[in-house]
Amino acid sequence: MSDQALRRAEVGIAFRARRRRVPLALMARYAVLVGTIIITVFPLVWLLITSVRSSADLFAVPVHIIPTSITAKQYISVFSQYSLSSYLWNTVIVSLTTVVSVTVLALPCAYALARLRLPGGRVVLFLLLIMRMIPVVALAIPLFAVFSSFGMLDTLGALILTHTAAKMPVATWLLMGFIQDLPKEVEESAEVDGAGTLRTLVQIVSPMIAPGIGASAVITFLFTWNDFLIALTLTSSKNAETLPVGLTNFVTQYGIDWGPMAAAGVMMIVPVLIFVWFAQGLLVKGLVTGAVRG
Amino acid sequence: MLAGPALIVMIAVFVYPLGYSFVMSFFQWDLSAGSNDFLGLANYTDAFGSPEFLQSLRNQVIFSTASLMTEVVAGMGIALLINGKMRGLRLARTLLLIPPMIAPAVIGLNFRWLFNEQYGLFDAALRDLHLPVIPWLSDPDWALVSVIIADVWQNTPLLVLLFLAGLQSLPQEPLEAASVDGASAWRTFWSIILPLLRPVVLIALMLRIIDTFRTFDIVWLMTQGGPGGATTLITVEAYLLAFQGVDFGHAAAVSYIALAMSLVLLSALYGVPWLMARRRR
């Protein structure tokens, strides 16, 4: 409050009349801030609470807000009853492989688009933008037909290929922005010293845009980790089903097994929390740059 | 040469399938049978004659308009109010990053649980307050509202963050001048802040238009498009046609209609201001 008052004084307003209004307005603003935080967090806390309740407590009427006891039963049953470990394994493999392949492929592509005058470069840029807009279902329907004719349905390979192609436009767009922000002189002097384009990219440019590569890797990882529709379409068994698709298996003919479902949901959220905590800067950079430029 | 490998993958796994489904959309396409009959535009004209598709179109328009409006207005309101030197703003910014990053599938299931009419928290709270219980997911109209609520919960934080970033990069002079002139907060917003924020607002609108026409996961896990097709968005309709109706040609046509609609909206978003600026000149 004192800061506000000071600023007003500096600007030189006759604030005798206003001064009394400030605390009220400030209180209203704090109310909005606190309300926003509560609304944001509450559904997630509820999911967490749900995941540590016993089944009896879960289906008690009237609903207890505070659980009567805490148990890890739901987390155990998710592994013993629902073979969560294979879903988890598939999701981790697909997400990590996709991050590597997207980075390796998108980085040179972004460099070429940002720095070299390619014939048709503008067309490629336009295509990247359109690709970002395409509904996933429009891609999933023909891919089902294509992969089924190659006998590749229900394989991790099909998922990795699809995610690599689908996440490439955003990653390229993001990396391009970071490369364009670099001063050109460094690369030019490297070229003069006889380094080839590829060497310049790997040894000079890449270290300089490390935050950009990090941002694109984090975003690619999370969007692949979170994917539901591609895996729903292309997989049909434990061979390749991922965690989000595994969630639908909690919906049985007897209803939904909410306890294990909540436990699996919490596990889906863990990587998000880790990245938000440790790589918040990269995430914001990726989101805002990605949004602004693409 | 550098761009080669990336382009090959994108063409093979992205452009080729899309071309494939574009061709598919003109055929009676059956995966098992060998014969595919050319239909011309019949899949497209049939779509506009089918009550299911028209219902999904209606749902899509309501869903997109309602979530877009709510998210932009709430996002801007919250950003304006919490911008500035406030304790806890850093914490809020960190927390606001979480919902947009969570899998929509998880959010769909979580809200399905919150909206559960027997054990769900919302109806439990209403019961405690002796208010009538709301049939969140079993009533057709409420089901669409529930899906919109889940979408708004997930995406408003992203817009708050975008608008906050925009507000923080605003030049201070016009704002101080307005304050010296004694302009009201309302007036300052409409005639100074909003015009300066126009690029950010346009980007926010663009992002949300694109994404509301791509929404699938949240709806599929909350309602599977039900009850009685009340929450079937266009993407859900395309999925149902392909994988329950096994009518790939029809499904491909519907997915192209969804893409065309968001393209038209986007070009309107960018084209109309551009045309108006030209006319004025």
Side-chain angles (χ1 to χ4, degrees), chain A residues 46 49-74 77 256-260, chain B residues 113 118-120:
Chain A
W46 190 246
I49 294 177
T50 304
S51 75
V52 295
R53 281 172 192 254
S54 67
S55 297
D57 195 24
L58 212 54
F59 297 111
V61 176
V63 176
H64 312 295
I65 305 267
I66 311 287
T68 45
S69 64
I70 287 179
T71 166
K73 250 210 204 119
Q74 313 292 3
S77 93
I256 298 178
D257 209 348
W258 287 109
Chain B
W113 173 234
Q118 266 177 296
Y119 312 111

PDB file of all heavy atoms in Angstrom, chain A residues 46 49-74 77 256-260, chain B residues 113 118-120:
ATOM      1  N   TRP A  46      -8.426 -31.591  -4.583  1.00  0.00           N
ATOM      2  CA  TRP A  46      -9.514 -32.564  -4.441  1.00  0.00           C
ATOM      3  C   TRP A  46      -9.140 -33.904  -5.075  1.00  0.00           C
ATOM      4  O   TRP A  46      -9.422 -34.970  -4.542  1.00  0.00           O
ATOM      5  CB  TRP A  46     -10.793 -32.009  -5.062  1.00  0.00           C
ATOM      6  CG  TRP A  46     -12.003 -32.836  -4.748  1.00  0.00           C
ATOM      7  CD1 TRP A  46     -12.752 -33.555  -5.614  1.00  0.00           C
ATOM      8  CD2 TRP A  46     -12.588 -33.030  -3.462  1.00  0.00           C
ATOM      9  NE1 TRP A  46     -13.757 -34.196  -4.954  1.00  0.00           N
ATOM     10  CE2 TRP A  46     -13.694 -33.886  -3.636  1.00  0.00           C
ATOM     11  CE3 TRP A  46     -12.281 -32.567  -2.173  1.00  0.00           C
ATOM     12  CZ2 TRP A  46     -14.489 -34.299  -2.575  1.00  0.00           C
ATOM     13  CZ3 TRP A  46     -13.092 -32.978  -1.112  1.00  0.00           C
ATOM     14  CH2 TRP A  46     -14.166 -33.828  -1.328  1.00  0.00           C
ATOM     15  N   ILE A  49      -6.771 -35.520  -2.658  1.00  0.00           N
ATOM     16  CA  ILE A  49      -7.508 -36.056  -1.511  1.00  0.00           C
ATOM     17  C   ILE A  49      -8.235 -37.338  -1.909  1.00  0.00           C
ATOM     18  O   ILE A  49      -8.218 -38.335  -1.193  1.00  0.00           O
ATOM     19  CB  ILE A  49      -8.516 -35.016  -0.969  1.00  0.00           C
ATOM     20  CG1 ILE A  49      -7.777 -33.816  -0.374  1.00  0.00           C
ATOM     21  CG2 ILE A  49      -9.425 -35.643   0.069  1.00  0.00           C
ATOM     22  CD1 ILE A  49      -8.694 -32.719   0.119  1.00  0.00           C
ATOM     23  N   THR A  50      -8.861 -37.320  -3.087  1.00  0.00           N
ATOM     24  CA  THR A  50      -9.583 -38.504  -3.557  1.00  0.00           C
ATOM     25  C   THR A  50      -8.665 -39.717  -3.663  1.00  0.00           C
ATOM     26  O   THR A  50      -9.051 -40.831  -3.333  1.00  0.00           O
ATOM     27  CB  THR A  50     -10.217 -38.224  -4.937  1.00  0.00           C
ATOM     28  OG1 THR A  50     -11.049 -37.085  -4.831  1.00  0.00           O
ATOM     29  CG2 THR A  50     -11.037 -39.404  -5.415  1.00  0.00           C
ATOM     30  N   SER A  51      -7.412 -39.448  -4.090  1.00  0.00           N
ATOM     31  CA  SER A  51      -6.512 -40.572  -4.349  1.00  0.00           C
ATOM     32  C   SER A  51      -5.986 -41.217  -3.072  1.00  0.00           C
ATOM     33  O   SER A  51      -5.440 -42.313  -3.133  1.00  0.00           O
ATOM     34  CB  SER A  51      -5.335 -40.119  -5.211  1.00  0.00           C
ATOM     35  OG  SER A  51      -4.420 -39.374  -4.435  1.00  0.00           O
ATOM     36  N   VAL A  52      -6.120 -40.546  -1.915  1.00  0.00           N
ATOM     37  CA  VAL A  52      -5.620 -41.159  -0.678  1.00  0.00           C
ATOM     38  C   VAL A  52      -6.750 -41.605   0.257  1.00  0.00           C
ATOM     39  O   VAL A  52      -6.515 -41.929   1.410  1.00  0.00           O
ATOM     40  CB  VAL A  52      -4.662 -40.214   0.093  1.00  0.00           C
ATOM     41  CG1 VAL A  52      -3.411 -39.954  -0.725  1.00  0.00           C
ATOM     42  CG2 VAL A  52      -5.346 -38.913   0.444  1.00  0.00           C
ATOM     43  N   ARG A  53      -7.984 -41.633  -0.259  1.00  0.00           N
ATOM     44  CA  ARG A  53      -9.089 -42.105   0.564  1.00  0.00           C
ATOM     45  C   ARG A  53      -9.259 -43.605   0.417  1.00  0.00           C
ATOM     46  O   ARG A  53      -8.936 -44.170  -0.621  1.00  0.00           O
ATOM     47  CB  ARG A  53     -10.403 -41.461   0.100  1.00  0.00           C
ATOM     48  CG  ARG A  53     -10.603 -40.066   0.571  1.00  0.00           C
ATOM     49  CD  ARG A  53     -11.823 -39.509  -0.114  1.00  0.00           C
ATOM     50  NE  ARG A  53     -11.891 -38.078   0.098  1.00  0.00           N
ATOM     51  CZ  ARG A  53     -12.763 -37.500   0.936  1.00  0.00           C
ATOM     52  NH1 ARG A  53     -13.626 -38.218   1.595  1.00  0.00           N
ATOM     53  NH2 ARG A  53     -12.754 -36.206   1.092  1.00  0.00           N
ATOM     54  N   SER A  54      -9.830 -44.231   1.437  1.00  0.00           N
ATOM     55  CA  SER A  54     -10.209 -45.632   1.279  1.00  0.00           C
ATOM     56  C   SER A  54     -11.489 -45.680   0.454  1.00  0.00           C
ATOM     57  O   SER A  54     -12.228 -44.700   0.381  1.00  0.00           O
ATOM     58  CB  SER A  54     -10.457 -46.256   2.649  1.00  0.00           C
ATOM     59  OG  SER A  54     -11.604 -45.658   3.212  1.00  0.00           O
ATOM     60  N   SER A  55     -11.742 -46.820  -0.174  1.00  0.00           N
ATOM     61  CA  SER A  55     -12.918 -46.904  -1.040  1.00  0.00           C
ATOM     62  C   SER A  55     -14.211 -46.649  -0.279  1.00  0.00           C
ATOM     63  O   SER A  55     -15.150 -46.057  -0.802  1.00  0.00           O
ATOM     64  CB  SER A  55     -12.968 -48.265  -1.725  1.00  0.00           C
ATOM     65  OG  SER A  55     -11.845 -48.404  -2.560  1.00  0.00           O
ATOM     66  N   ALA A  56     -14.264 -47.090   0.994  1.00  0.00           N
ATOM     67  CA  ALA A  56     -15.474 -46.886   1.786  1.00  0.00           C
ATOM     68  C   ALA A  56     -15.719 -45.389   2.006  1.00  0.00           C
ATOM     69  O   ALA A  56     -16.841 -44.905   1.901  1.00  0.00           O
ATOM     70  CB  ALA A  56     -15.332 -47.597   3.132  1.00  0.00           C
ATOM     71  N   ASP A  57     -14.632 -44.673   2.266  1.00  0.00           N
ATOM     72  CA  ASP A  57     -14.712 -43.248   2.519  1.00  0.00           C
ATOM     73  C   ASP A  57     -15.120 -42.497   1.253  1.00  0.00           C
ATOM     74  O   ASP A  57     -15.856 -41.514   1.273  1.00  0.00           O
ATOM     75  CB  ASP A  57     -13.334 -42.770   2.994  1.00  0.00           C
ATOM     76  CG  ASP A  57     -13.403 -41.405   3.622  1.00  0.00           C
ATOM     77  OD1 ASP A  57     -14.495 -41.041   4.107  1.00  0.00           O
ATOM     78  OD2 ASP A  57     -12.387 -40.700   3.617  1.00  0.00           O
ATOM     79  N   LEU A  58     -14.639 -43.018   0.109  1.00  0.00           N
ATOM     80  CA  LEU A  58     -14.867 -42.408  -1.202  1.00  0.00           C
ATOM     81  C   LEU A  58     -16.344 -42.373  -1.555  1.00  0.00           C
ATOM     82  O   LEU A  58     -16.856 -41.412  -2.106  1.00  0.00           O
ATOM     83  CB  LEU A  58     -14.117 -43.247  -2.234  1.00  0.00           C
ATOM     84  CG  LEU A  58     -13.537 -42.593  -3.448  1.00  0.00           C
ATOM     85  CD1 LEU A  58     -12.650 -41.457  -3.032  1.00  0.00           C
ATOM     86  CD2 LEU A  58     -12.738 -43.631  -4.218  1.00  0.00           C
ATOM     87  N   PHE A  59     -17.023 -43.483  -1.244  1.00  0.00           N
ATOM     88  CA  PHE A  59     -18.416 -43.596  -1.650  1.00  0.00           C
ATOM     89  C   PHE A  59     -19.353 -43.417  -0.457  1.00  0.00           C
ATOM     90  O   PHE A  59     -20.402 -44.023  -0.385  1.00  0.00           O
ATOM     91  CB  PHE A  59     -18.662 -44.934  -2.341  1.00  0.00           C
ATOM     92  CG  PHE A  59     -17.863 -45.066  -3.603  1.00  0.00           C
ATOM     93  CD1 PHE A  59     -16.812 -45.950  -3.701  1.00  0.00           C
ATOM     94  CD2 PHE A  59     -18.158 -44.251  -4.696  1.00  0.00           C
ATOM     95  CE1 PHE A  59     -16.073 -46.040  -4.867  1.00  0.00           C
ATOM     96  CE2 PHE A  59     -17.414 -44.336  -5.866  1.00  0.00           C
ATOM     97  CZ  PHE A  59     -16.367 -45.237  -5.955  1.00  0.00           C
ATOM     98  N   ALA A  60     -18.926 -42.585   0.500  1.00  0.00           N
ATOM     99  CA  ALA A  60     -19.786 -42.301   1.646  1.00  0.00           C
ATOM    100  C   ALA A  60     -20.740 -41.165   1.284  1.00  0.00           C
ATOM    101  O   ALA A  60     -20.362 -40.222   0.612  1.00  0.00           O
ATOM    102  CB  ALA A  60     -18.926 -41.903   2.845  1.00  0.00           C
ATOM    103  N   VAL A  61     -21.994 -41.325   1.715  1.00  0.00           N
ATOM    104  CA  VAL A  61     -22.953 -40.239   1.553  1.00  0.00           C
ATOM    105  C   VAL A  61     -23.469 -39.892   2.936  1.00  0.00           C
ATOM    106  O   VAL A  61     -23.877 -40.807   3.662  1.00  0.00           O
ATOM    107  CB  VAL A  61     -24.126 -40.669   0.647  1.00  0.00           C
ATOM    108  CG1 VAL A  61     -25.171 -39.563   0.571  1.00  0.00           C
ATOM    109  CG2 VAL A  61     -23.619 -41.021  -0.739  1.00  0.00           C
ATOM    110  N   PRO A  62     -23.464 -38.656   3.394  1.00  0.00           N
ATOM    111  CA  PRO A  62     -22.955 -37.487   2.689  1.00  0.00           C
ATOM    112  C   PRO A  62     -21.435 -37.478   2.564  1.00  0.00           C
ATOM    113  O   PRO A  62     -20.747 -38.119   3.348  1.00  0.00           O
ATOM    114  CB  PRO A  62     -23.428 -36.334   3.573  1.00  0.00           C
ATOM    115  CG  PRO A  62     -23.550 -36.905   4.934  1.00  0.00           C
ATOM    116  CD  PRO A  62     -23.998 -38.317   4.727  1.00  0.00           C
ATOM    117  N   VAL A  63     -20.952 -36.723   1.553  1.00  0.00           N
ATOM    118  CA  VAL A  63     -19.525 -36.670   1.268  1.00  0.00           C
ATOM    119  C   VAL A  63     -18.769 -36.005   2.424  1.00  0.00           C
ATOM    120  O   VAL A  63     -19.176 -34.965   2.912  1.00  0.00           O
ATOM    121  CB  VAL A  63     -19.310 -35.848  -0.021  1.00  0.00           C
ATOM    122  CG1 VAL A  63     -17.834 -35.674  -0.311  1.00  0.00           C
ATOM    123  CG2 VAL A  63     -20.029 -36.497  -1.187  1.00  0.00           C
ATOM    124  N   HIS A  64     -17.676 -36.667   2.886  1.00  0.00           N
ATOM    125  CA  HIS A  64     -16.805 -36.001   3.865  1.00  0.00           C
ATOM    126  C   HIS A  64     -15.781 -35.173   3.108  1.00  0.00           C
ATOM    127  O   HIS A  64     -15.106 -35.709   2.242  1.00  0.00           O
ATOM    128  CB  HIS A  64     -16.005 -37.005   4.712  1.00  0.00           C
ATOM    129  CG  HIS A  64     -16.822 -38.106   5.272  1.00  0.00           C
ATOM    130  ND1 HIS A  64     -17.801 -37.888   6.197  1.00  0.00           N
ATOM    131  CD2 HIS A  64     -16.811 -39.440   5.042  1.00  0.00           C
ATOM    132  CE1 HIS A  64     -18.352 -39.051   6.520  1.00  0.00           C
ATOM    133  NE2 HIS A  64     -17.776 -39.999   5.816  1.00  0.00           N
ATOM    134  N   ILE A  65     -15.666 -33.924   3.476  1.00  0.00           N
ATOM    135  CA  ILE A  65     -14.656 -33.096   2.811  1.00  0.00           C
ATOM    136  C   ILE A  65     -13.262 -33.539   3.257  1.00  0.00           C
ATOM    137  O   ILE A  65     -12.363 -33.742   2.456  1.00  0.00           O
ATOM    138  CB  ILE A  65     -14.864 -31.600   3.150  1.00  0.00           C
ATOM    139  CG1 ILE A  65     -16.286 -31.185   2.795  1.00  0.00           C
ATOM    140  CG2 ILE A  65     -13.806 -30.757   2.453  1.00  0.00           C
ATOM    141  CD1 ILE A  65     -16.497 -30.600   1.451  1.00  0.00           C
ATOM    142  N   ILE A  66     -13.100 -33.701   4.587  1.00  0.00           N
ATOM    143  CA  ILE A  66     -11.819 -34.154   5.118  1.00  0.00           C
ATOM    144  C   ILE A  66     -11.851 -35.677   5.208  1.00  0.00           C
ATOM    145  O   ILE A  66     -12.782 -36.236   5.799  1.00  0.00           O
ATOM    146  CB  ILE A  66     -11.579 -33.579   6.538  1.00  0.00           C
ATOM    147  CG1 ILE A  66     -11.849 -32.076   6.563  1.00  0.00           C
ATOM    148  CG2 ILE A  66     -10.179 -33.927   7.019  1.00  0.00           C
ATOM    149  CD1 ILE A  66     -10.823 -31.226   5.892  1.00  0.00           C
ATOM    150  N   PRO A  67     -10.867 -36.357   4.632  1.00  0.00           N
ATOM    151  CA  PRO A  67     -10.882 -37.827   4.695  1.00  0.00           C
ATOM    152  C   PRO A  67     -10.734 -38.310   6.130  1.00  0.00           C
ATOM    153  O   PRO A  67     -10.026 -37.691   6.924  1.00  0.00           O
ATOM    154  CB  PRO A  67      -9.678 -38.238   3.836  1.00  0.00           C
ATOM    155  CG  PRO A  67      -8.847 -37.018   3.675  1.00  0.00           C
ATOM    156  CD  PRO A  67      -9.731 -35.844   3.866  1.00  0.00           C
ATOM    157  N   THR A  68     -11.433 -39.400   6.477  1.00  0.00           N
ATOM    158  CA  THR A  68     -11.352 -39.911   7.838  1.00  0.00           C
ATOM    159  C   THR A  68     -10.017 -40.612   8.079  1.00  0.00           C
ATOM    160  O   THR A  68      -9.538 -40.668   9.194  1.00  0.00           O
ATOM    161  CB  THR A  68     -12.508 -40.892   8.121  1.00  0.00           C
ATOM    162  OG1 THR A  68     -12.621 -41.764   6.984  1.00  0.00           O
ATOM    163  CG2 THR A  68     -13.817 -40.157   8.300  1.00  0.00           C
ATOM    164  N   SER A  69      -9.442 -41.193   7.019  1.00  0.00           N
ATOM    165  CA  SER A  69      -8.123 -41.804   7.162  1.00  0.00           C
ATOM    166  C   SER A  69      -7.402 -41.703   5.824  1.00  0.00           C
ATOM    167  O   SER A  69      -8.028 -41.508   4.797  1.00  0.00           O
ATOM    168  CB  SER A  69      -8.256 -43.266   7.561  1.00  0.00           C
ATOM    169  OG  SER A  69      -8.896 -43.960   6.505  1.00  0.00           O
ATOM    170  N   ILE A  70      -6.080 -41.846   5.889  1.00  0.00           N
ATOM    171  CA  ILE A  70      -5.289 -41.735   4.667  1.00  0.00           C
ATOM    172  C   ILE A  70      -4.672 -43.078   4.331  1.00  0.00           C
ATOM    173  O   ILE A  70      -4.198 -43.790   5.220  1.00  0.00           O
ATOM    174  CB  ILE A  70      -4.189 -40.661   4.843  1.00  0.00           C
ATOM    175  CG1 ILE A  70      -4.846 -39.285   4.816  1.00  0.00           C
ATOM    176  CG2 ILE A  70      -3.143 -40.765   3.750  1.00  0.00           C
ATOM    177  CD1 ILE A  70      -3.874 -38.159   4.998  1.00  0.00           C
ATOM    178  N   THR A  71      -4.727 -43.463   3.058  1.00  0.00           N
ATOM    179  CA  THR A  71      -4.220 -44.768   2.665  1.00  0.00           C
ATOM    180  C   THR A  71      -3.538 -44.700   1.304  1.00  0.00           C
ATOM    181  O   THR A  71      -3.868 -43.845   0.476  1.00  0.00           O
ATOM    182  CB  THR A  71      -5.368 -45.795   2.602  1.00  0.00           C
ATOM    183  OG1 THR A  71      -4.893 -46.938   1.917  1.00  0.00           O
ATOM    184  CG2 THR A  71      -6.552 -45.250   1.855  1.00  0.00           C
ATOM    185  N   ALA A  72      -2.580 -45.599   1.096  1.00  0.00           N
ATOM    186  CA  ALA A  72      -1.898 -45.666  -0.198  1.00  0.00           C
ATOM    187  C   ALA A  72      -2.496 -46.784  -1.056  1.00  0.00           C
ATOM    188  O   ALA A  72      -1.971 -47.121  -2.101  1.00  0.00           O
ATOM    189  CB  ALA A  72      -0.403 -45.907   0.003  1.00  0.00           C
ATOM    190  N   LYS A  73      -3.624 -47.340  -0.577  1.00  0.00           N
ATOM    191  CA  LYS A  73      -4.248 -48.500  -1.231  1.00  0.00           C
ATOM    192  C   LYS A  73      -4.525 -48.278  -2.708  1.00  0.00           C
ATOM    193  O   LYS A  73      -4.284 -49.143  -3.534  1.00  0.00           O
ATOM    194  CB  LYS A  73      -5.570 -48.785  -0.515  1.00  0.00           C
ATOM    195  CG  LYS A  73      -5.593 -50.046   0.302  1.00  0.00           C
ATOM    196  CD  LYS A  73      -7.023 -50.575   0.309  1.00  0.00           C
ATOM    197  CE  LYS A  73      -7.282 -51.453   1.509  1.00  0.00           C
ATOM    198  NZ  LYS A  73      -8.357 -50.913   2.357  1.00  0.00           N
ATOM    199  N   GLN A  74      -5.051 -47.081  -3.020  1.00  0.00           N
ATOM    200  CA  GLN A  74      -5.437 -46.827  -4.421  1.00  0.00           C
ATOM    201  C   GLN A  74      -4.219 -46.867  -5.331  1.00  0.00           C
ATOM    202  O   GLN A  74      -4.287 -47.358  -6.453  1.00  0.00           O
ATOM    203  CB  GLN A  74      -6.132 -45.469  -4.544  1.00  0.00           C
ATOM    204  CG  GLN A  74      -7.211 -45.209  -3.508  1.00  0.00           C
ATOM    205  CD  GLN A  74      -8.428 -46.098  -3.664  1.00  0.00           C
ATOM    206  OE1 GLN A  74      -8.475 -46.969  -4.522  1.00  0.00           O
ATOM    207  NE2 GLN A  74      -9.420 -45.900  -2.808  1.00  0.00           N
ATOM    208  N   SER A  77      -3.278 -50.512  -5.811  1.00  0.00           N
ATOM    209  CA  SER A  77      -4.180 -51.278  -6.672  1.00  0.00           C
ATOM    210  C   SER A  77      -4.048 -50.865  -8.140  1.00  0.00           C
ATOM    211  O   SER A  77      -4.312 -51.630  -9.052  1.00  0.00           O
ATOM    212  CB  SER A  77      -5.630 -51.130  -6.202  1.00  0.00           C
ATOM    213  OG  SER A  77      -6.266 -50.085  -6.878  1.00  0.00           O
ATOM    214  N   ILE A 256     -17.361 -46.254 -12.604  1.00  0.00           N
ATOM    215  CA  ILE A 256     -15.967 -45.818 -12.641  1.00  0.00           C
ATOM    216  C   ILE A 256     -15.300 -46.115 -11.321  1.00  0.00           C
ATOM    217  O   ILE A 256     -15.842 -45.825 -10.259  1.00  0.00           O
ATOM    218  CB  ILE A 256     -15.888 -44.315 -12.960  1.00  0.00           C
ATOM    219  CG1 ILE A 256     -16.499 -44.072 -14.346  1.00  0.00           C
ATOM    220  CG2 ILE A 256     -14.449 -43.835 -12.918  1.00  0.00           C
ATOM    221  CD1 ILE A 256     -16.526 -42.635 -14.746  1.00  0.00           C
ATOM    222  N   ASP A 257     -14.114 -46.709 -11.394  1.00  0.00           N
ATOM    223  CA  ASP A 257     -13.352 -46.998 -10.199  1.00  0.00           C
ATOM    224  C   ASP A 257     -12.582 -45.738  -9.819  1.00  0.00           C
ATOM    225  O   ASP A 257     -11.443 -45.545 -10.230  1.00  0.00           O
ATOM    226  CB  ASP A 257     -12.401 -48.167 -10.497  1.00  0.00           C
ATOM    227  CG  ASP A 257     -12.122 -48.962  -9.243  1.00  0.00           C
ATOM    228  OD1 ASP A 257     -12.470 -48.456  -8.159  1.00  0.00           O
ATOM    229  OD2 ASP A 257     -11.573 -50.067  -9.351  1.00  0.00           O
ATOM    230  N   TRP A 258     -13.226 -44.858  -9.055  1.00  0.00           N
ATOM    231  CA  TRP A 258     -12.685 -43.513  -8.873  1.00  0.00           C
ATOM    232  C   TRP A 258     -11.382 -43.454  -8.110  1.00  0.00           C
ATOM    233  O   TRP A 258     -10.535 -42.623  -8.408  1.00  0.00           O
ATOM    234  CB  TRP A 258     -13.723 -42.610  -8.193  1.00  0.00           C
ATOM    235  CG  TRP A 258     -14.833 -42.246  -9.118  1.00  0.00           C
ATOM    236  CD1 TRP A 258     -16.119 -42.682  -9.072  1.00  0.00           C
ATOM    237  CD2 TRP A 258     -14.750 -41.389 -10.257  1.00  0.00           C
ATOM    238  NE1 TRP A 258     -16.842 -42.157 -10.110  1.00  0.00           N
ATOM    239  CE2 TRP A 258     -16.029 -41.351 -10.848  1.00  0.00           C
ATOM    240  CE3 TRP A 258     -13.727 -40.650 -10.849  1.00  0.00           C
ATOM    241  CZ2 TRP A 258     -16.312 -40.609 -11.995  1.00  0.00           C
ATOM    242  CZ3 TRP A 258     -14.009 -39.911 -11.984  1.00  0.00           C
ATOM    243  CH2 TRP A 258     -15.279 -39.900 -12.537  1.00  0.00           C
ATOM    244  N   GLY A 259     -11.188 -44.352  -7.132  1.00  0.00           N
ATOM    245  CA  GLY A 259      -9.969 -44.298  -6.321  1.00  0.00           C
ATOM    246  C   GLY A 259      -8.707 -44.470  -7.163  1.00  0.00           C
ATOM    247  O   GLY A 259      -7.855 -43.579  -7.224  1.00  0.00           O
ATOM    248  N   PRO A 260      -8.584 -45.626  -7.858  1.00  0.00           N
ATOM    249  CA  PRO A 260      -7.421 -45.827  -8.725  1.00  0.00           C
ATOM    250  C   PRO A 260      -7.337 -44.770  -9.826  1.00  0.00           C
ATOM    251  O   PRO A 260      -6.244 -44.334 -10.188  1.00  0.00           O
ATOM    252  CB  PRO A 260      -7.662 -47.213  -9.335  1.00  0.00           C
ATOM    253  CG  PRO A 260      -8.592 -47.890  -8.411  1.00  0.00           C
ATOM    254  CD  PRO A 260      -9.430 -46.821  -7.782  1.00  0.00           C
TER     255      PRO A 260
ATOM    256  N   TRP B 113     -15.682 -36.388 -11.917  1.00  0.00           N
ATOM    257  CA  TRP B 113     -15.766 -36.804 -10.510  1.00  0.00           C
ATOM    258  C   TRP B 113     -16.375 -35.691  -9.664  1.00  0.00           C
ATOM    259  O   TRP B 113     -17.270 -35.918  -8.856  1.00  0.00           O
ATOM    260  CB  TRP B 113     -14.369 -37.194 -10.040  1.00  0.00           C
ATOM    261  CG  TRP B 113     -14.203 -37.486  -8.575  1.00  0.00           C
ATOM    262  CD1 TRP B 113     -13.304 -36.915  -7.744  1.00  0.00           C
ATOM    263  CD2 TRP B 113     -14.923 -38.441  -7.780  1.00  0.00           C
ATOM    264  NE1 TRP B 113     -13.418 -37.435  -6.487  1.00  0.00           N
ATOM    265  CE2 TRP B 113     -14.410 -38.375  -6.477  1.00  0.00           C
ATOM    266  CE3 TRP B 113     -15.966 -39.336  -8.049  1.00  0.00           C
ATOM    267  CZ2 TRP B 113     -14.885 -39.169  -5.439  1.00  0.00           C
ATOM    268  CZ3 TRP B 113     -16.448 -40.128  -7.007  1.00  0.00           C
ATOM    269  CH2 TRP B 113     -15.912 -40.046  -5.727  1.00  0.00           C
ATOM    270  N   GLN B 118     -23.899 -38.289  -7.177  1.00  0.00           N
ATOM    271  CA  GLN B 118     -24.052 -38.932  -5.878  1.00  0.00           C
ATOM    272  C   GLN B 118     -22.912 -38.581  -4.928  1.00  0.00           C
ATOM    273  O   GLN B 118     -23.121 -38.224  -3.784  1.00  0.00           O
ATOM    274  CB  GLN B 118     -24.054 -40.457  -6.055  1.00  0.00           C
ATOM    275  CG  GLN B 118     -25.432 -41.037  -6.183  1.00  0.00           C
ATOM    276  CD  GLN B 118     -25.309 -42.522  -6.436  1.00  0.00           C
ATOM    277  OE1 GLN B 118     -24.783 -42.966  -7.467  1.00  0.00           O
ATOM    278  NE2 GLN B 118     -25.780 -43.307  -5.490  1.00  0.00           N
ATOM    279  N   TYR B 119     -21.667 -38.736  -5.456  1.00  0.00           N
ATOM    280  CA  TYR B 119     -20.498 -38.610  -4.588  1.00  0.00           C
ATOM    281  C   TYR B 119     -19.679 -37.359  -4.880  1.00  0.00           C
ATOM    282  O   TYR B 119     -18.668 -37.125  -4.252  1.00  0.00           O
ATOM    283  CB  TYR B 119     -19.599 -39.841  -4.754  1.00  0.00           C
ATOM    284  CG  TYR B 119     -20.358 -41.138  -4.687  1.00  0.00           C
ATOM    285  CD1 TYR B 119     -20.499 -41.935  -5.818  1.00  0.00           C
ATOM    286  CD2 TYR B 119     -20.951 -41.536  -3.498  1.00  0.00           C
ATOM    287  CE1 TYR B 119     -21.213 -43.127  -5.759  1.00  0.00           C
ATOM    288  CE2 TYR B 119     -21.662 -42.727  -3.428  1.00  0.00           C
ATOM    289  CZ  TYR B 119     -21.793 -43.517  -4.563  1.00  0.00           C
ATOM    290  OH  TYR B 119     -22.496 -44.682  -4.499  1.00  0.00           O
ATOM    291  N   GLY B 120     -20.098 -36.603  -5.880  1.00  0.00           N
ATOM    292  CA  GLY B 120     -19.308 -35.449  -6.300  1.00  0.00           C
ATOM    293  C   GLY B 120     -19.386 -34.303  -5.299  1.00  0.00           C
ATOM    294  O   GLY B 120     -20.369 -34.139  -4.579  1.00  0.00           O
TER     295      GLY B 120
END
